[in-house]
Amino acid sequence: MTRWDFIKEGDIIDVVAPGYPVQLPEVDGARDFLLKWKLQPRIPKNIIKPHFLHAHEDEMRFAFLKAAIESKDSNVIWCLRGGYGSNRLLPMLAKLKKPKQPKLLIGISDITSLHTFFAQEWGWSTLHAPLLDRLGRGQVSAKHEKELHRILFGPDKGIEFKKLKPLNAQARNIKVLKSSIVGGNLSVLQTTLGTPWQIQAKNRFLFLEDAGERGYRIDKMLEHMRQTGVFKQCHGLILGDFIGGNEPGTNTNNFKKVFKRWSDDLDIPVFQGLEAGHDVIQRPVPLNTSCVLQQQNGKVLLSIDSGGRG
């Protein structure tokens, strides 16, 4: 893995919108949030342009992202919003030479496409963490905002998750396992299958989360992954938050049944309970860094290196 530099007060933060647009007040909110942290937000003046799907035309979204990647005076690329659109930029990214200076990419949801590309093509460590539109609207609790700040600025060299639950015998039999974590949004990861940037989970934990997908769709996406070999020699699945997706005319979903089916079917460990995804709590998950999963007396501890240095 390639380490990123801890943030310092006064650092420039390059802001990009590779997927859906936001409203102008949300751009202002993102700027205010970064200023509150005593950082220098660099937001292109025309970052948002009316478009029927995205924050801007593909070429302009890529141009803003390329400028952020190649800027020599910043170390962080923070995404405004997820939505849809990042995967359309991958063929253009593939034409770039690997940058000499690694950057820290921050975002969730649609940004999973970029996390996967940067990890697999350039060896970067990235951070699955709240988007700027959410932070700018004050939708992250003070407790979790502080946790994110400590990871980015460096007092904390890693993060611990203590609420994981093993869903099958393979998971319950683990005592200590050293690995790393890849993944993110399930439906976005499905779009990588069969492409040059297909998610690679061999000898790694695969983290998955999603929002608004019904049980049958989650099952279908997992089956697609199985048939393309994603789970072969994978160290295990770590399930984050799955929200929404209620069955028509009901207030319930089929997630529990779906995950039981897969924990029974797969010959790899399956854990549930990572506090990350689209729910109210969105704890940061370092991707493509070292991690250790330990289990004793039925309690699971997942410790993940932040990937930062300095």
Side-chain angles (χ1 to χ4, degrees), residues 156-180:
D156 292 347
K157 301 298 191 294
I159 186 169
E160 293 184 343
F161 292 88
K162 300 179 180 180
K163 295 184 178 181
L164 293 182
K165 296 180 179 180
L167 296 187
N168 58 9
Q170 292 89 337
R172 287 187 290 273
N173 289 335
I174 292 178
K175 299 302 180 185
V176 179
L177 179 58
K178 296 180 179 180
S179 188
S180 61

Side-chain angles (χ1 to χ4, degrees), residues 135-308:
L135 289 159
R137 292 195 301 268
Q139 294 180 332
V140 175
S141 70
K143 173 185 175 180
H144 291 105
E145 182 180 321
K146 182 178 180 181
E147 179 180 61
L148 178 60
H149 187 281
R150 290 181 62 85
I151 287 175
L152 292 174
F153 282 74
D156 292 347
K157 301 298 191 294
I159 186 169
E160 293 184 343
F161 292 88
K162 300 179 180 180
K163 295 184 178 181
L164 293 182
K165 296 180 179 180
L167 296 187
N168 58 9
Q170 292 89 337
R172 287 187 290 273
N173 289 335
I174 292 178
K175 299 302 180 185
V176 179
L177 179 58
K178 296 180 179 180
S179 188
S180 61
I181 298 176
V182 296
N185 183 261
L186 173 58
S187 55
V188 174
L189 288 170
Q190 187 190 29
T191 68
T192 71
L193 302 181
T195 75
W197 310 288
Q198 176 170 312
I199 183 68
Q200 302 296 317
K202 181 179 178 181
N203 297 326
R204 297 181 177 211
F205 283 117
L206 178 60
F207 155 57
L208 301 174
E209 60 81 26
D210 220 317
E213 301 289 354
R214 289 170 58 192
Y216 84 94
R217 288 184 54 82
I218 293 171
D219 190 273
K220 180 171 64 174
M221 289 185 275
L222 292 174
E223 182 59 31
H224 191 180
M225 284 188 165
R226 174 159 60 182
Q227 292 184 15
T228 52
V230 171
F231 300 140
K232 291 181 179 178
Q233 300 182 53
C234 175
H235 279 167
L237 294 186
I238 298 180
L239 302 174
D241 291 320
F242 283 76
I243 64 172
N246 287 348
E247 296 302 307
T250 74
N251 292 318
T252 61
N253 58 58
N254 288 332
F255 298 166
K256 186 175 182 179
K257 294 178 181 178
V258 169
F259 296 141
K260 185 182 187 307
R261 178 187 201 181
W262 281 93
S263 61
D264 290 344
D265 282 356
L266 292 174
D267 60 359
I268 61 175
V270 181
F271 293 89
Q272 188 173 28
L274 198 72
E275 302 161 289
H278 286 74
D279 213 342
V280 175
I281 297 176
Q282 298 180 0
R283 298 186 68 198
V285 181
L287 300 175
N288 198 34
T289 73
S290 61
C291 72
V292 180
L293 189 146
Q294 304 174 70
Q295 191 169 192
Q296 187 174 12
N297 299 325
K299 294 184 178 181
V300 180
L301 173 62
L302 176 64
S303 304
I304 313 175
D305 185 335
S306 71

Side-chain angles (χ1 to χ4, degrees), residues 57 81 99 141 211:
E57 300 292 344
R81 188 182 176 187
S141 70

